[in-house]
Amino acid sequence: MMFELEDKSLDLKFNIRSISQIERMTGGSVMATMVNNNAMFTINEMQTYLGVGLIDDAGKRFNFKQAQNIGMDLIQQEGYVPMCSAIIDALERDCPFLFQGA
């Protein structure tokens, strides 16, 4: 899912390294968070996922703080539930290993 914010095209991209980084930063399992909270992230968790996963239209990652700030703007623009869904969709697309056997 592509996002438009201030004439910037943005997307989410995850891999096993970014999942590991998110788990270190949040102190919990990505899958446990999704299962235990019905895929509804806290705002802090969303900031972390967006801070790690946001990329520009050239596929370049932002620095973490900048991506967090952009992510907060996206949450306000797109809405909480659509951004939760976008994170889940990106995880399913980019990290199918998380969902094997589930």
Side-chain angles (χ1 to χ4, degrees):
M1 172 179 204
M2 293 291 286
F3 307 101
E4 295 292 327
L5 184 67
E6 297 173 8
D7 296 327
K8 295 178 192 163
S9 293
L10 307 166
D11 199 1
L12 287 168
K13 183 76 176 160
F14 297 105
N15 57 37
I16 197 164
R17 184 171 285 130
S18 59
I19 297 303
S20 179
Q21 182 179 2
I22 290 166
E23 289 180 340
R24 273 194 313 277
M25 295 171 87
T26 61
S29 159
V30 168
M31 288 305 292
T33 299
M34 288 191 294
V35 170
N36 294 336
N37 299 322
N38 295 319
M40 292 289 133
F41 303 103
T42 66
I43 296 296
N44 275 344
E45 288 168 337
M46 287 180 75
Q47 279 188 292
T48 302
Y49 283 78
L50 296 168
V52 171
L54 273 175
I55 59 172
D56 64 17
D57 57 355
K60 182 179 177 276
R61 293 194 187 277
F62 297 91
N63 80 44
F64 182 74
K65 278 292 186 197
Q66 183 183 18
Q68 277 189 310
N69 290 334
I70 293 168
M72 291 306 290
D73 291 341
L74 283 172
I75 293 167
Q76 291 179 41
Q77 174 181 294
E78 302 293 326
Y80 170 81
V81 172
M83 289 306 298
C84 283
S85 295
I87 291 169
I88 298 300
D89 291 346
L91 288 169
E92 288 177 337
R93 177 195 67 213
D94 299 336
C95 303
F97 59 88
L98 289 173
F99 302 92
Q100 291 172 342

